[in-house]
Amino acid sequence: MKGWQAERLPYNGPVTLLAIETSCDETAVAVLRGNELLASEVASQTEHEAYGGVVPEVASRNHLVHAPRLLESAVKKAGVALSAIDAFAATSGPGLASSLMIGASMAKGLALGFAKPYLAINHLEGHLLSPFFTGDFEISPNVSLVVSGGHTLLVEVRALDDYRILGRTVDDAAGEAFDKVAKMLGLGYPGGPEIERHALSGDPKRFDFPRSMLESGDHNFSFSGLKTSVRYQLAKLPAISDETRDDLCASFQRAVVEVLVKKTMRAARECRVKLVTVSGGVSCNAELGREMVEACQRAGFELRLAARELCTDNAAMIAFAASLRLEAGFASELSQEIDPNLALV
Ligand code: KG4
Ligand code: ZN
């Protein structure tokens, strides 16, 4: 595998690992010992709300301020000295270049300074493996739905590092659609939690929004047509009452959830797996969780949803992926560059 050293590292027993995540607008630092999470610090940036999206330069300037502070508080909470950390990891992509650089440079500097291994972790693999950061921590074969602000992926997971992309969005990611629709409706950023909150009191049947690519015969998604339908619907309404806004939220959310659930079930049946996993920011959504539980029960699949605190961006999932890789005998070269477009496979 490119950028990875192949020799096994001389570790027996639990290692203590520190991971830094700065791929977008969350700054996060976590410390893991074996499978025990000793600290997981996250600082979300609210400055982007005024722009309705993440401004890269604002994000990276904020990472520079937050990361050293979180590093200090994470090791303090974990009760370990930096010199006692066995390996340092950071997200190396995909994400915003100027944001990724901050976390990767810090982790590399620490690895260099303390002469410890460095692990460059794929953010998507962090999400993908996060449902396994519980129980027996064993990665069993599964079909995985990764739904975040930047990605919507269906992946067949055979084992660690043995992934096959089944499908992806051909335009907007699911989370991105939530964010854009929320902006249209004058709701805050990030849009997912806002839409979910308003959907609670809305009628999901009032607007019949399209279920794009539901019958496409492949495992890809499209959310841009749905977003446009909400825009057209809005343009037709003279003014929107609170009730109508809530109905739009509920109807939009229902359309996204239905497509995500049905296409995941179809992929799981086709791959003949026993297990379905769901991760990423959108997997915080309670309706998605509920519908996945019901669909998996009906179809006879076991389901693992990422724990709520692991759904949105965090460093614990990066630390977990790094610990699995370290255990498998891998570490990255210090010369490993960040890659804003890093693919999962
Ligand atoms: O995984 P994440 O924190 O960042 C990326 O890797 O992109 O995901 C952020 C996305 C945002 O688009 C946000 O609106 C969405 O996850 N999100 C939600 C919910 N909470 C966060 N979408 C729907 N319902 C939610 N409750
Ligand atoms: Zn993410």
Side-chain angles (χ1 to χ4, degrees), residues 22 27 29 62-72 102 106:
T22 58
T27 319
V29 180
N62 278 324
H63 288 312
L64 273 177
V65 175
H66 295 311
R69 179 175 66 76
L70 294 188
L71 179 75
E72 213 178 324
I102 313 282
M106 268 180 84

Side-chain angles (χ1 to χ4, degrees), residues 21 23-24 123-124 127 148-151 280-281 311-314 317:
E21 154 66 43
S23 65
C24 193
H123 182 82
L124 295 171
H127 279 304
S148 68
H151 297 86
C311 289
T312 47
D313 288 348
N314 64 88
M317 68 181 190

Side-chain angles (χ1 to χ4, degrees), residues 16-229:
T16 307
L17 202 144
L18 185 142
I20 307 174
E21 154 66 43
T22 58
S23 65
C24 193
D25 59 340
E26 256 88 28
T27 319
V29 180
V31 181
L32 188 69
R33 178 178 293 142
N35 285 325
E36 190 192 350
L37 188 60
L38 301 181
S40 180
E41 304 282 279
V42 184
S44 298
Q45 304 179 8
T46 49
E47 293 84 347
H48 305 280
E49 191 162 345
Y51 306 99
V54 179
V55 183
E57 189 180 329
V58 174
S60 48
R61 282 172 183 269
N62 278 324
H63 288 312
L64 273 177
V65 175
H66 295 311
R69 179 175 66 76
L70 294 188
L71 179 75
E72 213 178 324
S73 62
V75 289
K76 198 168 165 198
K77 273 195 185 154
V80 286
L82 271 177
S83 56
I85 305 278
D86 297 310
F88 295 91
T91 303
S92 65
L96 300 169
S98 51
S99 287
L100 289 165
M101 270 184 224
I102 313 282
S105 304
M106 268 180 84
K108 283 185 190 184
L110 289 162
L112 192 63
F114 290 102
K116 297 288 168 58
Y118 167 65
L119 290 104
I121 299 298
N122 186 315
H123 182 82
L124 295 171
E125 187 179 46
H127 279 304
L128 182 85
L129 300 176
S130 63
F132 291 97
F133 192 19
T134 178
D136 58 7
F137 307 96
E138 286 291 319
I139 312 298
S140 28
N142 66 95
V143 158
S144 181
L145 174 69
V146 182
V147 260
S148 68
H151 297 86
T152 304
L153 286 179
L154 265 173
V155 186
E156 183 184 8
V157 177
R158 299 189 191 102
L160 177 72
D161 202 36
D162 187 357
Y163 313 129
R164 181 167 71 102
I165 306 287
L166 300 166
R168 50 163 52 91
T169 178
V170 297
D171 41 53
D172 292 348
E176 190 181 352
F178 270 97
D179 295 336
K180 287 179 175 170
V181 167
K183 194 176 175 185
M184 276 181 226
L185 296 174
L187 304 173
Y189 177 86
E194 292 286 316
I195 290 198
E196 174 163 29
R197 191 163 56 82
H198 285 274
L200 285 176
S201 36
D203 174 6
K205 295 203 182 103
R206 170 148 170 217
F207 299 101
D208 186 21
F209 289 132
R211 271 63 170 158
S212 305
M213 298 187 78
L214 192 55
E215 303 303 334
S216 60
D218 58 22
H219 300 298
N220 289 331
F221 299 94
S222 165
F223 295 105
S224 143
L226 170 58
K227 176 193 69 190
T228 309
S229 295

Side-chain angles (χ1 to χ4, degrees), residues 6 100 230 262 323 332:
L100 289 165
V230 178
K262 287 192 171 158
S323 75
S332 310

